[in-house]
């Protein structure tokens, strides 16, 4: 038996990403987002509402960072998604997080986040469903604590969490349950 829910944005997991920009006074602005992700080997897509302070910053600065927050920053990251920089100018300071300036793009890097993509804005697409921001990945940086013995990023060490729109929850991720492009390979044989 099934139950119909109508048109809802119910897909799981939804990523939790943190967009870092600078305000006009060079103070740090960071917001949490879930609607977006990788759209090409060197591109990300952010689906945002036009009235976010972050959107104004993206238009002025042409750059941003996109970070994966760890579960150890859950409360502070969630706060950055709740608080609006349009109404609370010091929201980043209140979060207790710290940032340094990227050497590659005009945007901040939050030092507590284990994985950060440094990006430049390529295009704004104003669509009937909202604003899409396309960004080119200039560089990826990762904290040494999330690297494996070969120096590669280990997703299991990120401590990442995903968003559940169906019940407004966050869920820890990280247990590796199979190898991509390999787990189903046995079914290729007749």
């Amino acid at each position: 038996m099934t139950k119909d829910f109508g048109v809802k944005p119910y897909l799981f997991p939804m990523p939790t990403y943190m967009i870092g920009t600078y305000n006009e006074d060079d103070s740090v602005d960071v917001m949490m987002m879930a609607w977006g992700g990788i759209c090409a080997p060197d591109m990300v897509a952010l689906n945002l509402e036009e009235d976010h302070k972050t959107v104004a910053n993206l238009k002025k600065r042409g750059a941003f960072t996109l970070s994966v927050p760890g579960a150890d920053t859950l409360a502070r990251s969630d706060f950055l998604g709740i608080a609006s920089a349009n109404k609370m100018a010091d929201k980043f300071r209140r979060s207790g997080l710290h940032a340094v300036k990227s050497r590659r793009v005009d945007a901040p890097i939050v030092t507590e986040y284990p994985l950060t993509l440094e990006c430049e804005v390529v295009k704004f697409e104003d669509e009937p469903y909202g604003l899409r921001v396309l960004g080119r990945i200039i560089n990826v940086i990762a904290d040494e604590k999330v690297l494996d013995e070969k120096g590669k990023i280990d997703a299991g060490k990120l401590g990442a969490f995903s968003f559940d729109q169906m019940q407004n929850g966050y869920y820890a991720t990280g247990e590796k349950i199979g190898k991509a492009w390999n787990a189903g390979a046995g079914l290729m044989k007749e």
Side-chain angles (χ1 to χ4, degrees):
M1 171 160 316
T2 62
K3 178 180 177 181
D4 289 338
F5 284 90
V7 179
K8 302 280 186 192
Y10 287 174
L11 191 60
F12 182 81
M14 293 287 289
T16 52
Y17 298 132
M18 308 304 293
I19 306 170
T21 62
Y22 282 121
N23 295 312
E24 60 278 346
D25 65 357
D26 293 331
S27 62
V28 174
D29 175 52
V30 177
M31 73 169 277
M32 180 185 275
M33 65 153 293
W35 292 21
I38 298 294
C39 62
D42 65 343
M43 299 287 291
V44 295
L46 316 175
N47 297 308
L48 303 169
E49 294 179 19
E50 182 74 39
D51 62 347
H52 285 298
K53 177 69 172 158
T54 299
V55 170
N57 294 342
L58 290 167
K59 288 181 175 181
K60 287 180 185 168
R61 300 285 184 139
F64 61 97
T65 54
L66 191 62
S67 300
V68 175
D72 59 335
T73 67
L74 177 70
R76 295 179 286 176
S77 297
D78 184 61
F79 166 74
L80 293 171
I82 296 169
S84 168
N86 287 323
K87 298 176 182 173
M88 187 183 295
D90 66 340
K91 80 175 199 175
F92 185 74
R93 182 194 60 77
R94 289 189 195 194
S95 76
L97 296 170
H98 305 88
V100 296
K101 182 168 179 35
S102 165
R103 291 180 287 145
R104 294 171 187 86
V105 297
D106 186 18
I109 297 170
V110 178
T111 59
E112 288 85 355
Y113 294 148
L115 179 65
T116 300
L117 283 64
E118 298 168 292
C119 304
E120 63 184 14
V121 174
V122 171
K123 186 177 184 183
F124 293 94
E125 296 176 344
D126 194 9
E127 301 290 342
Y129 54 80
L131 177 68
R132 173 175 287 149
V133 180
L134 296 176
R136 179 170 288 110
I137 302 166
I138 302 302
N139 187 49
V140 176
I141 59 173
D143 190 300
E144 288 181 347
K145 69 182 179 189
V146 301
L147 303 180
D148 67 12
E149 61 282 346
K150 295 179 182 175
K152 293 186 176 185
I153 297 168
D154 181 341
K157 293 182 178 183
L158 290 174
F161 56 93
S162 58
F163 174 56
D164 158 26
Q165 290 197 144
M166 297 162 281
Q167 296 194 9
N168 294 329
Y170 292 119
Y171 292 83
T173 59
E175 179 186 356
K176 186 175 183 177
I177 62 168
K179 187 162 176 65
W181 298 286
N182 182 278
L187 298 172
M188 297 295 290
K189 301 172 186 169
E190 270 296 312

